[in-house]
Amino acid sequence: MTAVPFWKALALEEMSEEQWESLCDGCGRCCALKLQNPETGTVHYTRAACRLLDTETCRCTDYANRAERVPDCTVLNPDRARAYHWLPDSCAYRRLAAGQDLCWWHPLVSGNSDTVHAAGISVRGQVLSEDHVHESDLPRMLVAWKSGAGDD
């Protein structure tokens, strides 16, 4: 008999910190700078990313201190998971909050941290650091990410 994976057995709020953190698939999409339409509230992603994002590994270079170093960094937590509507459709936090399962390429499912990159879900090769972008260029850098939310 196979044990049920923790993400199917527990609500987000019931997960340990280690379990919660392991849900991050390492795509880096949440670290892409976003623009919000003030009239509709729609969030648009750009090809510019937080200066702390390593654009090759798609991981934060100073995860422990990110909120202090980047004041508008949103530190995700289980208590607010259902409010993170700005996260991409492919994000494990958003999917589990909506009652969906993890995608096939998620490292917890595939057993391989590179499947998120191989599936074309990560921002690897698709973004550049905000250090190299002028704020006025952001509207011309909008991007529609590959969904990745299904078996595509």
Side-chain angles (χ1 to χ4, degrees), residues 47-83:
R47 290 195 182 277
C50 173
R51 61 188 168 84
L52 295 182
L53 183 71
D54 179 321
T55 59
E56 180 60 29
T57 65
C58 299
R59 294 292 183 171
C60 184
T61 58
D62 193 7
Y63 190 75
N65 300 302
R66 67 195 183 281
E68 291 81 29
R69 293 191 56 199
V70 181
D72 61 344
C73 177
T74 301
V75 177
L76 304 179
N77 68 63
D79 296 329
R80 298 208 5 92
R82 286 160 182 64

Side-chain angles (χ1 to χ4, degrees), residues 32-119:
L33 302 188
K34 295 158 237 15
L35 298 176
Q36 185 171 21
N37 182 316
E39 294 173 13
T40 66
T42 304
V43 174
H44 301 278
Y45 287 81
T46 72
R47 290 195 182 277
C50 173
R51 61 188 168 84
L52 295 182
L53 183 71
D54 179 321
T55 59
E56 180 60 29
T57 65
C58 299
R59 294 292 183 171
C60 184
T61 58
D62 193 7
Y63 190 75
N65 300 302
R66 67 195 183 281
E68 291 81 29
R69 293 191 56 199
V70 181
D72 61 344
C73 177
T74 301
V75 177
L76 304 179
N77 68 63
D79 296 329
R80 298 208 5 92
R82 286 160 182 64
Y84 299 136
H85 301 290
W86 54 269
L87 288 171
D89 293 343
S90 58
C91 178
Y93 300 114
R94 185 169 175 186
R95 291 182 61 79
L96 293 177
Q100 300 171 316
D101 200 358
L102 300 181
C103 296
W104 68 267
W105 45 259
H106 192 286
L108 289 173
V109 176
S110 71
N112 184 333
S113 61
D114 286 330
T115 51
V116 67
H117 307 298

Side-chain angles (χ1 to χ4, degrees), residues 114-126:
D114 286 330
T115 51
V116 67
H117 307 298
I121 304 304
S122 78
V123 299
R124 179 185 283 172
Q126 300 185 64

